[in-house]
Amino acid sequence: MTVNHSKKEWKNSIPLIIASLFIGISCSAYWTFSRNFMLNLNSVPTYLGEWFWVIIGVAGLLGGTAGVFINKFGLTSAYRISVLALSTSSLILGIYHSNNIMGFLSPVLFGSSYIFMTGVLIVWGISVFKTNPSFGLGIPFLVLALGQAMGSIFSGVIADILGFQSLFVGASIIGYVTLLFKQNPIK
């Protein structure tokens, strides 16, 4: 069985695909280096680094509210809020890494906004590919994963050259740039 996707669907998917790629690139620095970075800071309590993934995971439960938020405020608002929170989590790590409160806030923001963002990408993808919603679900996640794979390579190189603080600030900037992308109205 062949499923044809309309030219309009593909055209409307371009912002979704680009945003997913750059969000993946932006998040890769956090996924790859954030915990080790925190563990190696003398100013941050050891327990914060040891519980880092737990904090992210528990905060991820808040991200499950994406559907409710989208229903109430719309997809564009949900996308922008999630990008702002996700990018700010990296910015905090790059700028305020020695502050214990910010060291706790960063993984909370990252965990909740990353899961929230995946919910947003699901809804956005399904709204674009109306002829095959499963395709709309798969494309943003495939491209997000591709961005994370590419980004982790770039992140390692950048961290070696410029250091971790610059890496996290740069990752946040890449994330903030994705605010330029938005869902095309489906007609």
Side-chain angles (χ1 to χ4, degrees):
M1 179 171 102
T2 304
V3 177
N4 293 319
H5 305 288
S6 72
K7 288 181 183 180
K8 183 186 285 185
E9 286 177 332
W10 279 109
K11 182 181 177 206
N12 287 333
S13 74
I14 291 170
L16 170 66
I17 290 169
I18 295 170
S20 297
L21 180 69
F22 281 96
I23 289 166
I25 291 169
S26 172
C27 292
S28 65
Y30 207 97
W31 281 124
T32 308
F33 295 111
S34 59
R35 181 176 179 272
N36 286 341
F37 175 67
M38 293 293 283
L39 282 171
N40 289 314
L41 292 173
N42 293 330
S43 59
V44 175
T46 306
Y47 72 85
L48 193 57
E50 291 172 350
W51 285 85
F52 199 75
W53 297 126
V54 174
I55 295 167
I56 289 173
V58 170
L61 296 173
L62 296 172
T65 62
V68 173
F69 192 94
I70 291 168
N71 281 334
K72 186 164 183 142
F73 300 106
L75 183 60
T76 301
S77 295
Y79 174 73
R80 291 195 173 150
I81 290 291
S82 60
V83 166
L84 285 170
L86 196 58
S87 300
T88 300
S89 69
S90 289
L91 184 63
I92 288 170
L93 206 55
I95 295 177
Y96 300 108
H97 53 274
S98 60
N99 182 311
N100 290 343
I101 293 170
M102 294 299 175
F104 180 76
L105 179 61
S106 176
V108 168
L109 271 176
F110 185 82
S112 60
S113 59
Y114 185 83
I115 299 302
F116 192 94
M117 174 60 74
T118 59
V120 169
L121 293 176
I122 288 171
V123 174
W124 189 359
I126 290 171
S127 73
V128 168
F129 290 99
K130 295 208 178 276
T131 60
N132 187 352
S134 62
F135 195 73
L137 181 125
I139 287 293
F141 283 111
L142 175 65
V143 176
L144 181 72
L146 178 64
Q148 288 175 337
M150 291 170 37
S152 62
I153 295 167
F154 297 138
S155 293
V157 171
I158 292 167
D160 275 348
I161 296 169
L162 301 174
F164 288 110
Q165 289 92 346
S166 296
L167 169 65
F168 292 121
V169 170
S172 72
I173 292 168
I174 292 169
Y176 290 130
V177 166
T178 66
L179 288 168
L180 299 173
F181 302 103
K182 62 182 182 178
Q183 177 190 25
N184 289 330
I186 308 296
K187 295 175 186 167

